[in-house]
Each structure stands twice: as structure tokens, then as C-alpha cells.
Amino acid sequence: MDGADGVDGADGADDGPWWKRAVFYQIYPRSFADGDGDGTGDLGGIRAHLADLAWLGVDALWISPFYPSPMVDFGYDVSDYCSVDPLFGTIEEFDALVDEAHRLGLRVVVDWVPNHTSDRHPWFVDAASGRGSRHRDWYVWRDPGPLGGPPNNWVSAFDPSAPAWTYDRTTGQWYLHLFTPSQPDLNWDEPRVVAAMHDVLRFWLDRGVDGIRADVVHCIGKDPALPDDPPEVAGVPHAVLNDEAVTHDRLRSIRRLVDAYPGDRMMVGEVYLLSTEAVATYYGEGDELHLAFNFPPLLAPWWEPSWRRCVEDTMDAVAGRGAWPTWVLSNHDNPRHRTRYDSNAARHGEDAATRARRSEARARAAAVLLLTLPGTPFLYQGEELGLTDATIPPGRELDPGGRDGCRAPIPWDATPDHGWPRASAPDGPWLPFPPEPGTRNHATQRADPGSLLHLYRRIIALRRQVATLSTGGFAWAESPPGVLAFHRRSRENDCFVLVNFTGEAATVAPAGDDDPAGNWASWKVGVASHGEGEGEGAPYDGTLAPDGAVVLLRPRP
Ligand code: NOJ
């Protein structure tokens, strides 16, 4: 868009802090890009591709853990919080990465894993060495239950048939781990743990990071009595049930720590509870998390009623309490959204040929929705290329949570190596590439203005130009079944977003409080998911393509 239609630049929307307007991009370092040719992604690889991310237009990078780790949970089992695993590089390379990212206008957010350490962390090694050890109380130890078994009925995250406890023969007690036995839970009732974990935050904030992503942060407060979970949730991992008042006090003091730094540092929390209302409480009264991930959309099928419900719940529970929502379609813990949408469609009887035709169109429409809903969107590396999950050959599975497919390496170009040098890994990268890397790769799509990659770029550019799309108000508009229609409005601009979840063309009247139905003349197409950019900037003709999505714009009268 150019300025001729009066929608560019500051447009009367409330600007707010950067993280309200930002588009975040999640980097899973093992799989993003390989700088040293050992088959595993690293900090050098990230640095080499920062310019590509700046070209895409994202504002902030969230980098999943790159700290020393035995890698049982691929970095979410940390054995040293204040250093870089040699697999990924050095602390100097991290500093250089942050400097360069900042030079390119990209903010950097790092992961903080406060609920558990690795069992190889020196704190746990000491804690397990004897009941009287200095770090014993840094973890959650209990005597055996009445029958000599685990102290309560909590089950762990990746294997719900297994207790969240492991017996330690040396000291005759069980230790708690909401995740794998290699990830013992820290005891946040112990003040030395709180102090040590605050120091970790300071370490990274002092190095100049712009924010923190806090892993399963709702789990850092536990009922000290460790009561059994109720029988009706038997088999549900305790990590998705734990919701204790004391966590809110802990988050308030973490918030004070973060806010004491200059420059609007922020914290986005992973609060993996299944109710949006419960998640919303972790924003506190604007004094806990700045942002919390919103998981129902990450699990929702591509079905209009599901999405309407997700948006309504979020607007009620999060925006309704004055907090700022987040939106995410994919991450490193779940099948990619295109994979989920395809398999859902297959389950509902869609034949393979139709699926092949509609799959990318759905991914395009989803991009429009993700980037126009009210709140901060988080992209997961590779969704801008339309990646689906890799098929992992039997015997090559690595992750204890079965999540390898969505963690496959990013194809950077159409060469046989897809940009992953084989210097010391002749068999290629640590996991196989996702399907169709010959076309679903960065270089090929960058050369094609009609690609999904370019669509993401155009929507992000439009958000930047029309602040209303990030910080404007939200209002539903009437729409036929199978179509979501909503306005984003500021004093000066009206953005009208239409998303067609069906395989049939649809017509929606541009009704609004200040616009008589049927009058499309004043609206221009800001972005269209179809037609390879065609029609963008032109007046809208009233027909929404099958599986199509458009963003319409006009100045407020
Ligand atoms: C959530 C992280 O996203 C996931 O990858 C990890 O396995 C668990 N937390 C445990 O740290």
C-alpha cells in the first residue's frame, strides 16, 4: 500500500509498548540453521540468517534454549543457566548475535526454565548426594507413600502412565519431576532457589536481551501439602493442572525485577492450563506476566465455530480484564498447524486430491487470521514456508514427547543439502527435512512474489504501516456460516478482515455502524491470501474466494 489511500503511518491507534505491536518469531536453534556443518543448528546459523528475518519483517525473536544440557528434553533440561552449550556456540557468539539483531531492528527474547533443572545440574547432583547436602532443599524430596510407592498420584508430562516421582536409592526418598525423571522440579519455597533463579534472569537481562519466555511458569508454586490430584483427572499430567495462588506472588516479584530494567523489557509466560480464564489470571492486575501464551488456538481445528469460540473466550477472559492477548498457530511442542488442518480434513472425509488443493490455501488464510487478531502473534520458524511435519523413520525418533516432526530442519534453498552444509555430518542434519523441501524453502519462495513467504511478509508490512491492525479495537461483523468477519478500528482507520474457512466462495456485506450494507466502494484490499497479491490496493469486489482471506481498509469517515 502507498500513502495515497490515507492508511499509512501513525493512524490514531494507541501505540503502547513494543511487544503489543510486535510480531514474534520463534527459533528452535537445533533446527533453524547450521553455521558449522555438524548437522545441528546453532547460534552462528541464526546470525547468518538474521537479515532474512529482518527482510520478513518480524520484530522480535524468541530463541528456545541453547544452554548447556544433556539434551534429554533437547535443552529444556538445563545444566548451566548462564552459559551456551558448545553444540550451539559460545557466550561471545550470543553477544554478537544480540548486537547484530539489534542493529537490524530485531529484539531478542530468551527462554528461562524455572520449574526444573537437568538432573546433571550441579545443584541436583549435590542435592542427591545426601539428605544433609547443601542443595537438598532446592528440590522437592518426600518419603515414600504408605505402601512404599510415590508420595502422591501426580503423573508426569510425557508418559501419563508414569508417576511424576522417581525413587532415589542413595537417600531413600522420592524426588518430584513434572516432566522426565531427568528434569527434577526446583523447590521455589526455598529462598535460595528464588534468589538463584532471579540471578539467572539478571544475567540475561544484563546482557541486553529484550525479554524472557518463561517455561511452564505456572508450575513454580505448588501446594506444599502436595495433595493427590482428584480421581476425575486421573492420567492428566499434573503440569497442566497445577494452579496455585502462591505463583502469583512469585510472578509479581519477577515482574518487578524485569520492569526495573530500562527499555520495556518483557516476559511472556507459558501457562499451560487448559482454561483461557485460568491463564488470564497470570497477567495479574498488570503486575505479573506481560504476555501469556494462548494455547486453545494452537490446538483448534481449522473450523470457523472453533475459532470463533477461541476468539470470544480470549476477548472475554484476557482482553476483558485489560490484558493483552497472544496468538499462536504452531510451536516446537505440537504438530504444525498445516499438518493438523490436513489430518483433520482427512478425518472428516476430505479426499487426498482436494486436500492437496486446499492445504496451502488454508495455510494462507490462517496466516491472515493470525496476523490480524487483536493481540501479539507468535510465528514458529518455517510456518512462513508452509512447512508440514517431517515423517520420522522408525528408529530415528529422538524426543521423549514424540515432537520430532515439528522440529525438522528448515530448508533454506533448493539444493540437495537445503543450506545445511555437510562438513562433519555427511548423513545430513539431525532430523530429516520436512516434506517438499524443493519448493517449501526460503530461497525458492523468496524468488516467487506469489509464495506464502511473501504473503507473510506483506501482512507483516501492512501491520507496520497500519497500526490499527495491531493496536486498534476489535468488533465482530455479521457473516455467513463458515466465515469469520471482524473489524479492527482506530479513530482514523477501519480494517475489515474476512476469513473463509469453507471451500466455497462467500459473500459478506460490509455492514457496520457507519456503513450501509452493500457498499464496497470505499474499501480497498490491503492483503489478499489468494491471487498472488493481485487485487491488493484495488477496490474489493465483494466475493471471498474459497478458503480465502482478505484484509480490507478504509479511512474512518
Ligand atoms: C514446555 C516446553 O515448551 C517443552 O518443550 C518442554 O518439554 C517442557 N516445557 C518442559 O520444560
Side-chain angles (χ1 to χ4, degrees):
M1 306 286 309
D2 60 35
D5 52 9
V7 292
D8 64 337
D11 65 357
D14 169 21
D15 270 2
W18 67 269
W19 43 266
K20 290 192 172 177
R21 298 183 309 273
V23 174
F24 282 71
Y25 184 97
Q26 182 192 354
I27 293 182
Y28 192 70
R30 289 184 84 86
S31 302
F32 185 68
D34 184 3
D36 62 8
D38 68 353
T40 307
D42 46 42
L43 298 183
I46 299 174
R47 193 167 164 207
H49 287 286
L50 286 176
D52 295 326
L53 298 174
W55 174 85
L56 177 59
V58 298
D59 303 277
L61 314 178
W62 151 32
I63 309 179
S64 280
F66 47 82
Y67 318 115
S69 163
M71 304 288 170
V72 172
D73 191 10
F74 292 102
Y76 284 95
D77 48 327
V78 179
S79 55
D80 177 356
Y81 284 100
C82 299
S83 180
V84 174
D85 194 290
L87 186 68
F88 296 122
T90 62
I91 195 77
E92 290 74 26
E93 284 179 90
F94 177 78
D95 290 341
L97 167 60
V98 173
D99 282 352
E100 184 144 351
H102 284 168
R103 205 174 50 72
L104 291 168
L106 298 164
R107 313 226 184 206
V108 177
V109 168
V110 295
D111 229 298
W112 177 61
V113 187
N115 177 66
H116 45 265
T117 67
S118 160
D119 61 347
R120 311 262 189 87
H121 194 294
W123 299 338
F124 187 75
V125 172
D126 178 58
S129 69
R131 289 198 184 200
S133 65
R134 193 165 103 75
H135 293 91
R136 184 72 176 176
D137 292 340
W138 287 42
Y139 294 86
V140 184
W141 298 94
R142 288 291 185 279
D143 289 332
L147 301 174
N152 71 15
N153 70 354
W154 294 3
V155 297
S156 68
F158 304 132
D159 179 5
S161 67
W165 296 90
T166 289
Y167 185 65
D168 174 50
R169 283 176 194 288
T170 316
T171 59
Q173 286 192 309
W174 296 74
Y175 66 86
L176 178 67
H177 51 84
L178 298 188
F179 293 87
T180 71
S182 307
Q183 293 164 292
D185 277 43
L186 282 162
N187 171 20
W188 273 73
D189 295 336
E190 164 58 53
R192 290 175 300 162
V193 166
V194 178
M197 292 310 291
H198 282 196
D199 282 348
V200 173
L201 287 174
R202 288 193 196 94
F203 179 86
W204 293 103
L205 291 165
D206 286 343
R207 292 200 104 77
V209 304
D210 302 283
I212 301 289
R213 179 267 187 186
D215 189 64
V216 289
V217 76
H218 62 296
C219 291
I220 63 174
K222 308 207 171 64
D223 183 334
L226 303 178
D228 276 347
D229 283 329
E232 60 272 20
V233 290
V236 177
H238 185 76
V240 306
L241 302 170
N242 194 82
D243 186 16
E244 293 296 321
V246 65
T247 305
H248 298 280
D249 300 334
R250 291 177 183 160
L251 284 175
R252 278 191 287 275
S253 83
I254 292 165
R255 173 68 178 252
R256 283 194 294 276
L257 186 161
V258 174
D259 282 354
Y261 279 81
D264 269 341
R265 314 290 176 101
M266 55 81 66
M267 178 172 282
V268 53
E270 184 197 27
V271 180
Y272 204 105
L273 293 170
L274 300 177
S275 123
T276 306
E277 231 164 278
V279 172
T281 65
Y282 286 79
Y283 286 87
E285 303 299 322
D287 55 357
E288 297 184 35
L289 295 171
H290 298 83
L291 294 175
F293 285 118
N294 184 7
F295 287 104
L298 187 105
L299 309 170
W302 188 245
W303 191 49
E304 179 261 310
S306 295
W307 269 91
R308 187 177 294 281
R309 172 89 195 273
C310 283
V311 175
E312 275 168 2
D313 286 354
T314 304
M315 294 315 285
D316 286 354
V318 181
R321 66 174 11 241
W324 194 253
T326 64
W327 300 98
V328 59
L329 300 174
S330 288
N331 70 11
H332 66 297
D333 287 333
N334 294 280
R336 286 182 174 278
H337 60 276
R338 187 164 173 185
T339 300
R340 287 189 286 111
Y341 299 163
D342 285 355
S343 46
N344 244 312
R347 263 204 308 281
H348 285 88
E350 188 174 272
D351 60 76
T354 310
R355 202 157 58 251
R357 182 168 50 76
R358 295 185 63 190
S359 171
E360 174 154 338
R362 285 191 284 246
R364 286 168 172 264
V368 172
L369 182 61
L370 171 72
L371 290 160
T372 55
L373 284 168
T376 298
F378 284 75
L379 315 186
Y380 176 48
Q381 62 180 37
E383 72 174 71
E384 75 281 15
L385 305 173
L387 296 186
T388 49
D389 284 7
T391 305
I392 310 296
R396 270 196 79 181
E397 302 93 346
L398 296 171
D399 176 53
R403 300 163 293 183
D404 295 322
C406 64
R407 298 174 174 183
I410 299 299
W412 284 99
D413 58 37
T415 65
D417 293 345
H418 302 300
W420 287 70
R422 291 180 187 234
S424 52
D427 295 338
W430 72 293
L431 281 175
F433 286 106
E436 300 182 35
T439 50
R440 296 183 199 166
N441 69 67
H442 184 89
T444 301
Q445 294 200 25
R446 191 149 166 179
D448 171 8
S451 66
L452 180 61
L453 176 64
H454 273 269
L455 175 66
Y456 269 88
R457 184 169 187 255
R458 289 202 305 277
I459 313 171
I460 294 171
L462 187 66
R463 279 176 67 96
R464 211 166 261 189
Q465 217 165 17
V466 184
T468 305
L469 275 174
S470 19
T471 52
F474 172 87
W476 287 118
E478 270 180 46
S479 55
V483 173
L484 282 188
F486 57 86
H487 291 269
R488 303 295 313 280
R489 287 194 180 112
S490 63
R491 266 196 327 278
E492 287 159 25
N493 285 315
D494 197 346
C495 307
F496 191 15
V497 181
L498 303 174
V499 181
N500 186 357
F501 287 71
T502 77
E504 313 294 323
T507 311
V508 186
D513 47 13
D514 47 15
D515 189 10
N519 173 17
W520 289 112
S522 57
W523 295 93
K524 293 219 168 105
V525 178
V527 159
S529 68
H530 273 55
E532 306 185 347
E534 267 172 49
E536 292 176 5
Y540 185 60
D541 73 1
T543 306
L544 190 54
D547 299 306
V550 290
V551 182
L552 308 178
L553 307 166
R554 61 169 201 177
R556 290 294 288 274

